[in-house]
Amino acid sequence: MQIKLGQNLLGANGVIAGEIRRLMEEKGIFLLNLMSSPGAGKTTLLEKTLTALKDRLRLAVIEGDVATTKDAERIARLGISVVQINTHGACHLDAAMVRDVLPAFDLDSLDLLIVENVGNLVCPAEFDLGESMKVVVLSTTEGNDKVLKYPLMFREADALLLNKIDLLPFTDFHLDELADDLGRIHPGLPRFDLSARTGEGMERWIAWLLAQVEGHRRR
Amino acid sequence: MALMESLVRVLASEAPRHNITQIKKVKLTVGALTHALPDALRFAFSVLREQPLFAPGAELEIEERKTRCRCRDCGADFAVEGNLGFLCPGCGGFAVDIIQGRELQIDYFEGD
């Protein structure tokens, strides 16, 4: 006997992501899904972003990691509410993992909840977490080929942060090539060139993010 | 592997509803943009089919779908080769909708 299903393999994830999205809308929380490959500098960028915003917005963080709590400890040192999800080997967060940690936060007193996804440019792009926005971090030390090799990630993203621009002189990274590739994959994608380490370019990104969060709250 | 585990979860709940105790075949449609590699899916399936839900040697059929887009400006429907080039070849517009290539779907399963 043949049973027709026509069911999306990730259907269950989509349902839970929808629940999260509705809950965030109801509470007026901007949920940011931050993604990159390992080593792009997500956690440092997050630390600097949180430091710049913590007097202006009520913040919290969900840290996704395959096994360790190192990143969550770094965020907790800033005095920001953080919950760690260990994926036990899985290469991405899924909506159920996010939903399960939400009770750890006081959702009535939050403006911005940032999810630091597991370092990986493939699977995280596939799993809707119910986020308001996806931001991908690319670093100059990773080389120019990432955009074309992982097009879905760069197509899905709502903004691109090019990190480690202080290291440009020591790499073979070309900004023109990045612009060309983005033009093919995701024309018009907001892009911020910055260095989380030196602080260069951070102000533009912070101002933009703040505007997104405030725009979301006014909706 | 996570995708195939998700497949097993779906089948484990669907099969009893149709009085199927042993699944002999599963058919999936996999879009090029999903990055779900058919060979990796087949390997994961060969491991997971050892459980009682599946008949010995249960088969996995995968239909691969190329990426296609439709231009919002001129309405052209075009294939995207190798996941690249999301620009309309007709008018050069970049406001395009992905209409095919993101599928990750269980079409049907067969069993007794």
Side-chain angles (χ1 to χ4, degrees):
Chain A
M1 187 165 57
Q2 185 182 98
I3 311 295
K4 298 245 184 260
L5 277 183
Q7 183 175 337
N8 191 317
L9 248 185
L10 301 177
N13 187 76
V15 170
I16 299 169
E19 288 167 13
I20 295 174
R21 192 165 278 118
R22 277 191 296 280
L23 179 64
M24 295 295 120
E25 290 287 333
E26 183 190 315
K27 302 283 183 188
I29 300 171
F30 192 88
L31 182 63
L32 177 71
N33 183 2
L34 190 64
M35 298 180 280
S36 79
S37 40
K42 270 195 309 303
T43 309
T44 302
L45 187 87
L46 189 55
E47 283 175 312
K48 298 291 172 78
T49 303
L50 295 168
T51 303
L53 288 175
K54 70 178 183 180
D55 295 331
R56 308 177 69 169
L57 295 174
R58 298 169 297 174
L59 307 164
V61 172
I62 295 174
E63 274 291 340
D65 203 288
V66 175
T68 73
T69 56
K70 284 182 186 304
D71 293 349
E73 287 161 19
R74 285 171 62 181
I75 302 304
R77 264 181 238 133
L78 300 172
I80 284 166
S81 175
V82 56
V83 171
Q84 168 87 34
I85 300 175
N86 280 135
T87 60
H88 303 292
C91 54
H92 58 270
L93 294 176
D94 64 37
M97 295 177 192
V98 172
R99 177 194 59 192
D100 292 348
V101 299
L102 288 179
F105 300 103
D106 177 7
L107 297 179
D108 291 318
S109 62
L110 273 187
D111 302 310
L112 173 61
L113 176 58
I114 303 180
V115 177
E116 182 178 343
N117 217 312
V118 178
N120 175 354
L121 289 175
V122 183
C123 309
E126 272 303 314
F127 286 80
D128 184 1
L129 302 182
E131 69 276 303
S132 316
M133 186 176 278
K134 293 178 185 199
V135 171
V136 60
V137 185
L138 176 71
S139 58
T140 60
T141 51
E142 289 170 71
N144 272 102
D145 59 354
K146 294 293 177 289
V147 175
L148 297 188
K149 280 173 101 168
Y150 305 99
L152 189 64
M153 173 62 79
F154 292 91
R155 164 122 196 130
E156 289 286 302
D158 298 293
L160 166 69
L161 308 184
L162 179 67
N163 193 19
K164 307 190 189 180
I165 55 165
D166 52 319
L167 299 180
L168 267 176
F170 311 104
T171 68
D172 295 325
F173 197 89
H174 298 291
L175 296 177
D176 292 347
E177 198 177 326
L178 174 66
D180 283 352
D181 292 344
L182 288 174
R184 295 167 70 186
I185 299 292
H186 194 158
L189 175 68
R191 172 182 139 198
F192 301 91
D193 296 359
L194 50 82
S195 165
R197 195 173 67 91
T198 67
E200 185 184 355
M202 286 292 289
E203 276 175 27
R204 257 186 80 226
W205 149 244
I206 300 289
W208 185 83
L209 177 59
L210 197 57
Q212 302 303 314
V213 176
E214 286 177 350
H216 178 82
R217 209 162 31 184
R218 272 198 302 273
R219 274 216 323 247
Chain B
M1 199 70 196
L3 289 177
M4 286 290 102
E5 283 166 357
S6 169
L7 173 76
V8 170
R9 270 199 304 277
V10 172
L11 294 178
S13 76
E14 287 291 334
R17 293 177 47 200
H18 301 280
N19 294 320
I20 286 178
T21 50
Q22 280 210 313
I23 294 169
K24 290 181 167 168
K25 181 178 174 185
V26 181
K27 158 89 192 304
L28 301 181
T29 297
V30 176
L33 272 175
T34 64
H35 287 104
L37 300 172
D39 284 346
L41 294 177
R42 283 188 198 99
F43 172 74
F45 185 77
S46 73
V47 175
L48 291 170
R49 75 177 171 196
E50 298 302 318
Q51 47 189 295
L53 178 63
F54 297 97
E59 185 194 345
L60 175 68
E61 185 189 330
I62 297 177
E63 180 185 334
E64 297 180 53
R65 290 259 178 91
K66 289 189 171 171
T67 307
R68 295 195 70 87
C69 292
R70 182 177 295 122
C71 178
R72 283 187 210 165
D73 294 330
C74 72
D77 178 332
F78 59 96
V80 176
E81 286 306 319
N83 287 349
L84 301 180
F86 290 92
L87 283 179
C88 174
C91 69
F94 57 75
V96 300
D97 294 317
I98 297 173
I99 54 171
Q100 184 180 295
R102 300 210 58 181
E103 302 85 350
L104 200 50
Q105 180 176 302
I106 311 167
D107 295 326
Y108 64 78
F109 64 98
E110 287 174 10
D112 297 322

